Amino acid sequence: MDKIIINGGKKLKGEVKISGSKNAALPILIATLLTDDKCTIKNVPDLEDINTVIALLRHLGKKIHRKEDIITVSADKNIRSDAPYELVCKMRASVLVAGPLLARFKKADISLPGGCAIGLRPINIHLDGFKRLGAKYKINKGDVFLKASKLKASKIILDFPSVGATENLLMTSTLVEGETIIENAAIEPEIADLVNFLINCGAKISGIGTSKLKVFGVKKLKGCTYTVMSDRIETGTYIISSAITNGDIKIIGSIMEHNESLIEKIRVAGAKVSRKNGSLKIKGSGKIKSIDVETQVFPGFPTDLQPLWMTLMTVSRGESVITETVFENRLRTVAELIRMGADIKIKGSSAFVKGVKNLTGTKVVASDLRSAAALILAGLAAKGKTEITGLEHLYRGYENIVGKLKNLGADIKLIKKQRVMSNG
Ligand code: UD1
């Protein structure tokens, strides 16, 4: 079992460069299914989720070439239209292939992702949207079969501004004749990055960055070269890591506007945040104030940073309430933080946190991607040695986090599972 060992108490100092956004790179790579032309995608992070999407695209018939952070996708053979359970269960974002496959081949057979560590995560909003575009679907033994004789442009009002559903319906409608309007669309920055990529491929989309997207279907999309935006959740992770260690770090390559809700909160909590020549400086104050947070869709406080904020609050002065409104199971880090000495009580979807003087290092297990990052932050702040397992979750979404934190002066190491070598 791989583990991370942290000897806590070091103030982080120095510079860290932010990688390309996982949640933007995934739909953009999947959107290459909309064309047979070659697409070159730059600034793609080196992550397990990216390996999964590459395996999925290869399974569907795409040829992939990867060199450092550049991935080239071209058509290899006839594209298949099925996404098997083995790949979908590894990563829910695999359901995003449904949109492009439906648009191009008028059919898609996708395994349902099922529940996952942070909640039920159904795909009803995606399916309702496909129906509005003229597709029919049936669900059998955990697979959904979508087909359409002809897709038609439509007005779709999403029940909830789901990020994945907005992306799926956007991709489909780029190739549907006529004008499709998606209302109550998600406005997370990753959507705008996908829209920019699609526009570079020849799609006609207006309303970028707003909750009303208009898509004018075109006959064909072409290939392009596109650079993925930087990862706002990784940025947020380093912002909080500086505050929790009373550090002084410079973050390079992030987009400040993507983290405004976090920056506003962390300033009130006492950290100093400044921007200079495109980089962000975060300086801890040594005294963290207790500040309540409720997760919301963008531009509200992101659910992906909620477990990290809660970790910061465990060592704050006073009491705070952290409320999760987007995913039902995203308070799972609490049990592990309590093992480290945190004082947290859960009532419904809220966590009531009383700040303690310090956390104490111990053995903890990550239950999902962001809980893994939260436990790393807890380990950085804790007294003594913290040992974190469950790292398969971390590998999905943080590029070289151990190396980056080490560079910032953390006492952290990754111990990879020893391979047992036989002599025979
Ligand atoms: C994406 C992000 C994830 C982030 C989330 C919210 C990727 C790969 N993942 O996930 O990191 O935490 O946005 O910002 O980009 N829902 C339904 N029915 C649906 C679709 C969603 O009920 O058809 C519910 C979900 O169960 C969840 C909420 O809506 O409770 C938000 O989901 P959604 O915005 O779709 O998130 P994802 O696209 O899965």
Side-chain angles (χ1 to χ4, degrees), residues 4 30 37 40 46 53 69 74 91 117 127 145 173 201 204 223 238 265 271 293 306 374 391-392:
I4 284 178
I30 287 173
D37 291 357
T40 303
D46 184 8
V53 88
D69 65 348
S74 44
M91 184 186 72
L127 295 177
F145 301 91
S173 50
C201 291
K204 293 206 163 67
Y238 288 104
K265 291 275 178 195
V293 147
Q306 175 269 108
L391 300 184
E392 63 281 8

PDB file of all heavy atoms in Angstrom, residues 4 30 37 40 46 53 69 74 91 117 127 145 173 201 204 223 238 265 271 293 306 374 391-392:
ATOM      1  N   ILE A   4       1.785   8.256   2.349  1.00  0.00           N
ATOM      2  CA  ILE A   4       2.481   9.540   2.478  1.00  0.00           C
ATOM      3  C   ILE A   4       2.789   9.735   3.953  1.00  0.00           C
ATOM      4  O   ILE A   4       1.926   9.506   4.807  1.00  0.00           O
ATOM      5  CB  ILE A   4       1.604  10.693   1.944  1.00  0.00           C
ATOM      6  CG1 ILE A   4       1.610  10.690   0.408  1.00  0.00           C
ATOM      7  CG2 ILE A   4       2.096  12.051   2.456  1.00  0.00           C
ATOM      8  CD1 ILE A   4       0.733  11.748  -0.225  1.00  0.00           C
ATOM      9  N   ILE A  30     -12.456  14.471 -24.205  1.00  0.00           N
ATOM     10  CA  ILE A  30     -13.622  13.701 -24.672  1.00  0.00           C
ATOM     11  C   ILE A  30     -14.269  14.379 -25.886  1.00  0.00           C
ATOM     12  O   ILE A  30     -14.735  13.711 -26.821  1.00  0.00           O
ATOM     13  CB  ILE A  30     -14.623  13.514 -23.509  1.00  0.00           C
ATOM     14  CG1 ILE A  30     -14.034  12.490 -22.522  1.00  0.00           C
ATOM     15  CG2 ILE A  30     -15.992  13.069 -24.005  1.00  0.00           C
ATOM     16  CD1 ILE A  30     -14.785  12.300 -21.232  1.00  0.00           C
ATOM     17  N   ASP A  37     -10.572  14.817 -37.194  1.00  0.00           N
ATOM     18  CA  ASP A  37      -9.303  15.537 -37.392  1.00  0.00           C
ATOM     19  C   ASP A  37      -8.415  15.411 -36.165  1.00  0.00           C
ATOM     20  O   ASP A  37      -8.890  15.089 -35.071  1.00  0.00           O
ATOM     21  CB  ASP A  37      -9.567  17.032 -37.629  1.00  0.00           C
ATOM     22  CG  ASP A  37     -10.231  17.283 -38.957  1.00  0.00           C
ATOM     23  OD1 ASP A  37     -10.426  16.317 -39.719  1.00  0.00           O
ATOM     24  OD2 ASP A  37     -10.573  18.455 -39.226  1.00  0.00           O
ATOM     25  N   THR A  40      -4.645  18.752 -30.872  1.00  0.00           N
ATOM     26  CA  THR A  40      -3.482  18.766 -29.982  1.00  0.00           C
ATOM     27  C   THR A  40      -3.858  19.550 -28.732  1.00  0.00           C
ATOM     28  O   THR A  40      -4.193  20.731 -28.811  1.00  0.00           O
ATOM     29  CB  THR A  40      -2.283  19.424 -30.700  1.00  0.00           C
ATOM     30  OG1 THR A  40      -2.065  18.691 -31.904  1.00  0.00           O
ATOM     31  CG2 THR A  40      -1.025  19.381 -29.837  1.00  0.00           C
ATOM     32  N   ASP A  46      -0.634  15.334 -15.521  1.00  0.00           N
ATOM     33  CA  ASP A  46      -0.302  13.908 -15.493  1.00  0.00           C
ATOM     34  C   ASP A  46      -1.023  13.270 -14.290  1.00  0.00           C
ATOM     35  O   ASP A  46      -0.534  13.330 -13.158  1.00  0.00           O
ATOM     36  CB  ASP A  46       1.234  13.783 -15.349  1.00  0.00           C
ATOM     37  CG  ASP A  46       1.676  12.335 -15.407  1.00  0.00           C
ATOM     38  OD1 ASP A  46       0.840  11.467 -15.709  1.00  0.00           O
ATOM     39  OD2 ASP A  46       2.868  12.077 -15.131  1.00  0.00           O
ATOM     40  N   VAL A  53      -9.182   8.493 -19.085  1.00  0.00           N
ATOM     41  CA  VAL A  53      -9.848   9.036 -20.278  1.00  0.00           C
ATOM     42  C   VAL A  53      -9.082   8.620 -21.542  1.00  0.00           C
ATOM     43  O   VAL A  53      -9.684   8.340 -22.587  1.00  0.00           O
ATOM     44  CB  VAL A  53     -10.054  10.564 -20.169  1.00  0.00           C
ATOM     45  CG1 VAL A  53      -8.926  11.374 -20.664  1.00  0.00           C
ATOM     46  CG2 VAL A  53     -11.310  10.980 -20.901  1.00  0.00           C
ATOM     47  N   ASP A  69       3.243  17.205 -21.307  1.00  0.00           N
ATOM     48  CA  ASP A  69       1.858  17.632 -21.028  1.00  0.00           C
ATOM     49  C   ASP A  69       1.054  17.877 -22.306  1.00  0.00           C
ATOM     50  O   ASP A  69       0.034  18.549 -22.285  1.00  0.00           O
ATOM     51  CB  ASP A  69       1.860  18.880 -20.132  1.00  0.00           C
ATOM     52  CG  ASP A  69       2.482  20.082 -20.817  1.00  0.00           C
ATOM     53  OD1 ASP A  69       3.106  19.902 -21.878  1.00  0.00           O
ATOM     54  OD2 ASP A  69       2.325  21.210 -20.317  1.00  0.00           O
ATOM     55  N   SER A  74      -6.073  11.559 -32.567  1.00  0.00           N
ATOM     56  CA  SER A  74      -6.515  11.497 -33.967  1.00  0.00           C
ATOM     57  C   SER A  74      -7.347  10.239 -34.163  1.00  0.00           C
ATOM     58  O   SER A  74      -7.378   9.362 -33.300  1.00  0.00           O
ATOM     59  CB  SER A  74      -5.321  11.540 -34.916  1.00  0.00           C
ATOM     60  OG  SER A  74      -4.316  10.700 -34.447  1.00  0.00           O
ATOM     61  N   MET A  91     -14.177   6.364 -13.206  1.00  0.00           N
ATOM     62  CA  MET A  91     -14.277   7.820 -13.268  1.00  0.00           C
ATOM     63  C   MET A  91     -15.633   8.213 -13.853  1.00  0.00           C
ATOM     64  O   MET A  91     -15.946   7.914 -15.000  1.00  0.00           O
ATOM     65  CB  MET A  91     -13.158   8.342 -14.191  1.00  0.00           C
ATOM     66  CG  MET A  91     -13.088   9.826 -14.254  1.00  0.00           C
ATOM     67  SD  MET A  91     -11.878  10.329 -15.474  1.00  0.00           S
ATOM     68  CE  MET A  91     -12.718   9.899 -17.004  1.00  0.00           C
ATOM     69  N   ALA A 117     -17.997   7.676  -3.763  1.00  0.00           N
ATOM     70  CA  ALA A 117     -17.690   8.036  -2.382  1.00  0.00           C
ATOM     71  C   ALA A 117     -18.354   9.342  -1.925  1.00  0.00           C
ATOM     72  O   ALA A 117     -18.667   9.489  -0.761  1.00  0.00           O
ATOM     73  CB  ALA A 117     -16.190   8.122  -2.215  1.00  0.00           C
ATOM     74  N   LEU A 127     -29.782  12.867 -19.156  1.00  0.00           N
ATOM     75  CA  LEU A 127     -30.722  12.078 -19.959  1.00  0.00           C
ATOM     76  C   LEU A 127     -31.942  12.905 -20.379  1.00  0.00           C
ATOM     77  O   LEU A 127     -32.394  12.816 -21.531  1.00  0.00           O
ATOM     78  CB  LEU A 127     -31.160  10.826 -19.182  1.00  0.00           C
ATOM     79  CG  LEU A 127     -30.027   9.820 -18.891  1.00  0.00           C
ATOM     80  CD1 LEU A 127     -30.545   8.660 -18.048  1.00  0.00           C
ATOM     81  CD2 LEU A 127     -29.404   9.288 -20.182  1.00  0.00           C
ATOM     82  N   PHE A 145     -28.882   2.850 -22.856  1.00  0.00           N
ATOM     83  CA  PHE A 145     -28.778   2.765 -24.317  1.00  0.00           C
ATOM     84  C   PHE A 145     -29.495   3.971 -24.897  1.00  0.00           C
ATOM     85  O   PHE A 145     -30.698   4.132 -24.722  1.00  0.00           O
ATOM     86  CB  PHE A 145     -29.424   1.475 -24.829  1.00  0.00           C
ATOM     87  CG  PHE A 145     -28.789   0.243 -24.248  1.00  0.00           C
ATOM     88  CD1 PHE A 145     -29.280  -0.321 -23.083  1.00  0.00           C
ATOM     89  CD2 PHE A 145     -27.681  -0.343 -24.862  1.00  0.00           C
ATOM     90  CE1 PHE A 145     -28.685  -1.441 -22.521  1.00  0.00           C
ATOM     91  CE2 PHE A 145     -27.081  -1.460 -24.314  1.00  0.00           C
ATOM     92  CZ  PHE A 145     -27.578  -2.014 -23.142  1.00  0.00           C
ATOM     93  N   SER A 173     -24.996  19.315 -28.895  1.00  0.00           N
ATOM     94  CA  SER A 173     -25.708  20.292 -29.729  1.00  0.00           C
ATOM     95  C   SER A 173     -24.808  21.001 -30.743  1.00  0.00           C
ATOM     96  O   SER A 173     -25.318  21.596 -31.690  1.00  0.00           O
ATOM     97  CB  SER A 173     -26.463  21.300 -28.852  1.00  0.00           C
ATOM     98  OG  SER A 173     -25.621  21.821 -27.877  1.00  0.00           O
ATOM     99  N   CYS A 201     -12.639  24.575 -32.656  1.00  0.00           N
ATOM    100  CA  CYS A 201     -12.891  23.468 -33.595  1.00  0.00           C
ATOM    101  C   CYS A 201     -13.942  23.848 -34.633  1.00  0.00           C
ATOM    102  O   CYS A 201     -14.332  23.023 -35.457  1.00  0.00           O
ATOM    103  CB  CYS A 201     -13.384  22.236 -32.842  1.00  0.00           C
ATOM    104  SG  CYS A 201     -12.163  21.468 -31.800  1.00  0.00           S
ATOM    105  N   LYS A 204     -20.279  26.894 -33.166  1.00  0.00           N
ATOM    106  CA  LYS A 204     -20.834  28.251 -33.036  1.00  0.00           C
ATOM    107  C   LYS A 204     -21.625  28.316 -31.733  1.00  0.00           C
ATOM    108  O   LYS A 204     -22.716  27.744 -31.623  1.00  0.00           O
ATOM    109  CB  LYS A 204     -21.741  28.563 -34.229  1.00  0.00           C
ATOM    110  CG  LYS A 204     -20.991  28.666 -35.535  1.00  0.00           C
ATOM    111  CD  LYS A 204     -21.751  29.555 -36.505  1.00  0.00           C
ATOM    112  CE  LYS A 204     -20.884  30.033 -37.637  1.00  0.00           C
ATOM    113  NZ  LYS A 204     -20.461  28.979 -38.550  1.00  0.00           N
ATOM    114  N   GLY A 223     -10.243  19.824 -36.390  1.00  0.00           N
ATOM    115  CA  GLY A 223      -9.275  19.722 -35.298  1.00  0.00           C
ATOM    116  C   GLY A 223      -8.679  21.074 -34.953  1.00  0.00           C
ATOM    117  O   GLY A 223      -8.852  22.047 -35.686  1.00  0.00           O
ATOM    118  N   TYR A 238      -3.330  25.001  -2.638  1.00  0.00           N
ATOM    119  CA  TYR A 238      -2.080  25.640  -2.182  1.00  0.00           C
ATOM    120  C   TYR A 238      -2.363  26.927  -1.401  1.00  0.00           C
ATOM    121  O   TYR A 238      -1.630  27.253  -0.472  1.00  0.00           O
ATOM    122  CB  TYR A 238      -1.118  25.865  -3.360  1.00  0.00           C
ATOM    123  CG  TYR A 238      -0.546  24.533  -3.817  1.00  0.00           C
ATOM    124  CD1 TYR A 238      -0.994  23.908  -4.987  1.00  0.00           C
ATOM    125  CD2 TYR A 238       0.383  23.867  -3.033  1.00  0.00           C
ATOM    126  CE1 TYR A 238      -0.521  22.662  -5.363  1.00  0.00           C
ATOM    127  CE2 TYR A 238       0.862  22.611  -3.400  1.00  0.00           C
ATOM    128  CZ  TYR A 238       0.409  22.015  -4.565  1.00  0.00           C
ATOM    129  OH  TYR A 238       0.865  20.779  -4.914  1.00  0.00           O
ATOM    130  N   LYS A 265     -12.952  34.638   1.533  1.00  0.00           N
ATOM    131  CA  LYS A 265     -13.089  33.979   2.841  1.00  0.00           C
ATOM    132  C   LYS A 265     -11.751  33.922   3.568  1.00  0.00           C
ATOM    133  O   LYS A 265     -11.684  34.133   4.775  1.00  0.00           O
ATOM    134  CB  LYS A 265     -13.609  32.541   2.661  1.00  0.00           C
ATOM    135  CG  LYS A 265     -15.028  32.441   2.191  1.00  0.00           C
ATOM    136  CD  LYS A 265     -16.004  32.524   3.352  1.00  0.00           C
ATOM    137  CE  LYS A 265     -17.435  32.468   2.860  1.00  0.00           C
ATOM    138  NZ  LYS A 265     -18.396  32.894   3.865  1.00  0.00           N
ATOM    139  N   ALA A 271      -5.592  35.538   6.425  1.00  0.00           N
ATOM    140  CA  ALA A 271      -4.413  35.433   5.542  1.00  0.00           C
ATOM    141  C   ALA A 271      -4.321  36.665   4.646  1.00  0.00           C
ATOM    142  O   ALA A 271      -5.348  37.306   4.354  1.00  0.00           O
ATOM    143  CB  ALA A 271      -4.524  34.172   4.696  1.00  0.00           C
ATOM    144  N   VAL A 293     -18.738  28.499   6.082  1.00  0.00           N
ATOM    145  CA  VAL A 293     -18.761  28.353   4.624  1.00  0.00           C
ATOM    146  C   VAL A 293     -19.924  27.464   4.228  1.00  0.00           C
ATOM    147  O   VAL A 293     -20.224  26.488   4.913  1.00  0.00           O
ATOM    148  CB  VAL A 293     -17.409  27.737   4.137  1.00  0.00           C
ATOM    149  CG1 VAL A 293     -17.598  26.862   2.938  1.00  0.00           C
ATOM    150  CG2 VAL A 293     -16.400  28.827   3.820  1.00  0.00           C
ATOM    151  N   GLN A 306     -14.316  22.266  -0.011  1.00  0.00           N
ATOM    152  CA  GLN A 306     -14.966  22.241   1.313  1.00  0.00           C
ATOM    153  C   GLN A 306     -14.192  21.413   2.349  1.00  0.00           C
ATOM    154  O   GLN A 306     -13.957  21.892   3.462  1.00  0.00           O
ATOM    155  CB  GLN A 306     -16.423  21.778   1.128  1.00  0.00           C
ATOM    156  CG  GLN A 306     -17.214  21.575   2.385  1.00  0.00           C
ATOM    157  CD  GLN A 306     -17.099  20.145   2.859  1.00  0.00           C
ATOM    158  OE1 GLN A 306     -16.448  19.862   3.851  1.00  0.00           O
ATOM    159  NE2 GLN A 306     -17.707  19.227   2.147  1.00  0.00           N
ATOM    160  N   ALA A 374      -7.202  17.116   1.816  1.00  0.00           N
ATOM    161  CA  ALA A 374      -7.485  17.702   3.133  1.00  0.00           C
ATOM    162  C   ALA A 374      -6.622  17.056   4.198  1.00  0.00           C
ATOM    163  O   ALA A 374      -6.078  17.735   5.079  1.00  0.00           O
ATOM    164  CB  ALA A 374      -8.971  17.521   3.469  1.00  0.00           C
ATOM    165  N   LEU A 391      -4.257   6.397  -1.198  1.00  0.00           N
ATOM    166  CA  LEU A 391      -3.711   7.393  -2.133  1.00  0.00           C
ATOM    167  C   LEU A 391      -4.180   7.228  -3.572  1.00  0.00           C
ATOM    168  O   LEU A 391      -3.958   8.099  -4.404  1.00  0.00           O
ATOM    169  CB  LEU A 391      -2.175   7.359  -2.096  1.00  0.00           C
ATOM    170  CG  LEU A 391      -1.559   7.675  -0.729  1.00  0.00           C
ATOM    171  CD1 LEU A 391      -0.047   7.710  -0.826  1.00  0.00           C
ATOM    172  CD2 LEU A 391      -2.065   9.008  -0.196  1.00  0.00           C
ATOM    173  N   GLU A 392      -4.862   6.090  -3.859  1.00  0.00           N
ATOM    174  CA  GLU A 392      -5.385   5.934  -5.223  1.00  0.00           C
ATOM    175  C   GLU A 392      -6.311   7.113  -5.551  1.00  0.00           C
ATOM    176  O   GLU A 392      -6.423   7.524  -6.705  1.00  0.00           O
ATOM    177  CB  GLU A 392      -6.089   4.571  -5.413  1.00  0.00           C
ATOM    178  CG  GLU A 392      -7.329   4.309  -4.567  1.00  0.00           C
ATOM    179  CD  GLU A 392      -7.027   3.902  -3.116  1.00  0.00           C
ATOM    180  OE1 GLU A 392      -5.863   3.964  -2.694  1.00  0.00           O
ATOM    181  OE2 GLU A 392      -7.989   3.549  -2.407  1.00  0.00           O
TER     182      GLU A 392
END
